[in-house]
């Protein structure tokens, strides 16, 4: 992919749906290590959830009506800050994600039409390099709390992308002139990491629809950073390129969601019958009234015969 300094991302994605949530940097005091404890077997619970029939349904298959009926699943500012503080603490491995990188990573996980169980993507949250290191928690209560916040945010990403109001988490960079400018490189790096680790569904995008990934590639890969250096001959040009790219991200996410929609629907149709959502049970015969003759042929009333055993259960 080649992006020159005259590239206008809005021509690829239309007007970007701006409306970003500013990231609040964690204070230095939050970097103290937890008192004690080690990483518990949290993946066991995640694995059991991910192998249940209902969990085998891709989260993006939720209907619009279902989404409209749900309350806003976003983390509160306090919960988001709590998660951010932990991700920046000494309890995290050296190569762990921050909150913005996590948000981009989860966006790509959710967009992937192939269901990726939490037990598969969670290790990369802790260790972006190898997916092997684990965090240190003070106790099991903190472990469950942080895991719950992670899954809560995952569900919020699912709902916001499905509903068309996805709002990336970026860090705001102070500007001398007081203008608004964001650092989206970490977000894009997280997005591209999810593609790298779970690449199958993305191969066709790279081959035939690279424009859908243009903002994320520019801001989240070494190739993109090199392009910024080469095409941005001065600081002002690099800033303009960067701003144009991150402003296109919400629309790019919406375009990718639409691009993968046929694959998600095909996956839904091809699922084994055992993984289909439970449907309401239907009666194979007309309902028998309690005062009707019992269908077993005894001649007694249903409530005095077979219906009596049902009422005692």
């Amino acid at each position: 992919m080649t992006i020159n300094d005259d590239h206008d991302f809005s021509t690829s994605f239309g007007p970007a749906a701006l409306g970003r949530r500013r990231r609040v940097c964690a204070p230095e005091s939050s970097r103290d290590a937890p008192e004690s404890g080690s990483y518990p077997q949290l993946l066991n619970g995640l694995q059991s959830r991910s192998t249940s029939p209902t969990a085998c349904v891709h989260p993006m298959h939720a209907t619009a009506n279902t989404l409209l009926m749900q309350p806003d699943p976003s983390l509160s500012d306090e919960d988001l800050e709590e998660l951010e503080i932990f991700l920046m603490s000494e309890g995290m491995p050296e190569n762990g994600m921050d909150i913005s990188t996590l948000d981009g990573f989860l966006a790509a996980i959710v967009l992937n039409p192939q269901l990726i169980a939490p037990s598969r993507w969670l290790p990369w949250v802790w260790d972006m390099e190898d997916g092997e290191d684990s965090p240190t928690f003070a106790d099991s209560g903190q472990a469950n709390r942080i895991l719950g916040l992670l899954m809560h945010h995952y569900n919020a990403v699912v709902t916001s992308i499905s509903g068309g109001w996805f709002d990336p988490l970026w860090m705001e960079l102070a500007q001398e002139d007081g203008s608004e400018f964001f650092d989206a490189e970490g977000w894009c790096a997280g997005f591209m990491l999810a593609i790298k680790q779970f690449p199958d569904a993305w191969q066709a995008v790279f081959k035939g629809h690279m424009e859908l990934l243009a903002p994320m590639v520019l801001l989240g890969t070494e190739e993109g950073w090199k392009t910024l250096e080469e095409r941005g001959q001065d600081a002002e040009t690099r800033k303009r390129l960067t701003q144009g790219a991150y402003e296109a991200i919400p629309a790019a996410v919406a375009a990718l969601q639409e691009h993968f929609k046929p694959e998600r629907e095909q996956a839904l149709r091809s699922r084994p019958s055992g993984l289909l959502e439970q449907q309401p049970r239907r009666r194979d015969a007309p309902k028998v009234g309690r005062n009707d003759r019992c269908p077993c042929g005894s001649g007694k009333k249903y409530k005095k015969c077979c219906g009596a055993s049902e009422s005692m259960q």
Side-chain angles (χ1 to χ4, degrees), residues 116-281:
I116 303 172
S119 56
R120 295 179 60 201
W121 57 254
L122 186 60
W124 298 101
V125 173
W126 311 135
D127 180 4
M128 295 175 63
E129 293 293 328
D130 303 307
E132 295 178 356
D133 286 348
S134 301
T136 300
F137 296 103
D139 50 42
S140 60
Q142 185 191 40
N144 288 325
R145 170 63 176 169
I146 295 302
L147 181 59
L149 291 175
L150 278 168
M151 295 309 300
H152 191 152
H153 188 56
Y154 169 81
N155 290 330
V157 173
V158 170
T159 303
S160 61
I161 290 180
S162 300
W165 61 80
F166 181 65
D167 184 11
L169 290 175
W170 299 328
M171 179 186 291
E172 184 174 18
L173 300 177
Q175 303 296 297
E176 292 183 357
D177 60 1
S179 61
E180 186 178 71
F181 191 78
F182 293 89
D183 177 5
E185 287 188 359
W187 190 96
C188 292
F191 191 98
M192 297 307 297
L193 176 64
I195 292 177
K196 177 183 177 181
Q197 298 305 329
F198 307 99
D200 292 350
W202 297 94
Q203 297 301 327
V205 179
F206 276 103
K207 292 179 180 179
H209 301 280
M210 191 64 182
E211 73 280 358
L212 298 179
L213 292 171
M216 287 73 95
V217 171
L218 184 67
L219 299 182
T221 68
E222 292 186 5
E223 176 191 356
W225 300 329
K226 184 178 179 180
T227 298
L228 279 174
E229 290 295 328
E230 293 175 349
R231 302 298 182 180
Q233 299 175 354
D234 54 75
E236 189 60 34
T237 301
R238 287 194 296 272
K239 181 178 179 180
R240 179 168 56 83
L241 275 172
T242 300
Q243 186 170 7
Y246 74 61
E247 288 183 347
I249 287 175
V253 169
L256 285 165
Q257 193 269 348
E258 189 65 24
H259 172 80
F260 283 127
K261 185 177 180 180
E263 292 185 48
R264 286 193 298 272
E265 292 177 346
Q266 176 60 34
L268 182 65
R269 290 192 295 267
S270 62
R271 281 180 299 150
S273 58
L275 298 181
L276 294 174
E277 297 93 339
Q278 286 189 334
Q279 299 294 326
R281 295 183 61 180

Side-chain angles (χ1 to χ4, degrees), residues 4-5 28 30 44 59 116 120 141 153 174 249 261 274 280 285 300:
N4 58 42
D5 56 356
E28 290 296 324
S30 69
N44 289 340
I116 303 172
R120 295 179 60 201
H153 188 56
I249 287 175
K261 185 177 180 180
K300 299 179 180 179

Side-chain angles (χ1 to χ4, degrees), residues 39-86:
Y39 185 45
Q41 300 299 319
L42 298 178
L43 296 186
N44 289 340
L46 287 175
Q47 189 62 40
S48 64
R49 293 182 217 172
S50 64
T51 54
S52 66
T54 54
C56 292
V57 180
H58 194 287
M60 295 285 278
H61 284 140
T63 65
N65 288 337
T66 301
L67 293 172
L68 290 173
M69 292 172 63
Q70 292 178 345
D72 183 5
S74 300
L75 289 173
S76 66
D77 289 343
E78 293 77 14
D79 287 344
L80 189 66
E81 183 176 5
E82 180 182 351
L83 178 58
E84 180 179 24
I85 287 174
F86 178 80

